[in-house]
Amino acid sequence: MDSLVIVDAANVVGSVPDGWWRDRHGAAERLRDALPGYATDGLPGLMAPPLELVLVVEGAARGVASVDGVRVVAAEGSGDDRIVGLVADESGGRDCLVVTADRELRRRVEALGARVTGPRAVWGPSRGGS
């Protein structure tokens, strides 16, 4: 069974001050497009492949579409609440990793058994992708 990686799009995009606030939708698409390689290659030092990658978007990024290797889930309200719900509903005994720097979200998903890593795991100085 594939391990589950849930990426907090707003938090990860917001970790790089590159003008993302001028085009939140486009910034979320750039992040989405940096992720597919991880599904087959894994996250070095964190999770071996294969991975199921889920990108949670909210607000202006809600219209971002899924692509091969990355399922995009739009939060109707709080992105954090949607991520917690995904961990609760979809981790089901498999290894689950949430990518975020949000301390409160980290606490909530760790209480459900998920591991957490920061944005650099997928969106580092080289801008992610493998």
Side-chain angles (χ1 to χ4, degrees):
M1 180 182 299
D2 295 358
S3 296
L4 178 62
V5 176
I6 302 171
V7 180
D8 179 354
N11 187 267
V12 173
V13 165
S15 71
V16 179
D18 63 356
W20 58 264
W21 51 90
R22 291 187 295 266
D23 180 11
R24 293 169 193 256
H25 187 273
E29 285 181 327
R30 287 189 297 279
L31 173 58
R32 177 206 57 201
D33 294 345
L35 297 175
Y38 295 121
T40 54
D41 299 340
L43 284 166
L46 294 170
M47 295 187 102
L51 303 178
E52 177 185 356
L53 289 162
V54 179
L55 180 67
V56 177
V57 296
E58 60 186 285
R62 277 196 200 112
V64 172
S66 297
V67 296
D68 285 344
V70 181
R71 176 169 49 116
V72 178
V73 173
E76 291 303 316
S78 160
D80 290 1
D81 289 346
R82 186 67 176 113
I83 291 167
V84 170
L86 286 167
V87 170
D89 297 341
E90 297 191 20
S91 59
R94 61 183 166 156
D95 196 11
C96 179
L97 180 71
V98 175
V99 181
T100 188
D102 183 304
R103 289 184 183 147
E104 176 61 16
L105 178 58
R106 169 184 221 114
R107 184 194 62 74
R108 292 173 67 192
V109 298
E110 285 177 338
L112 295 171
R115 295 185 297 129
V116 179
T117 193
R120 286 188 180 198
V122 297
W123 198 245
S126 66
R127 283 304 194 77
S130 48

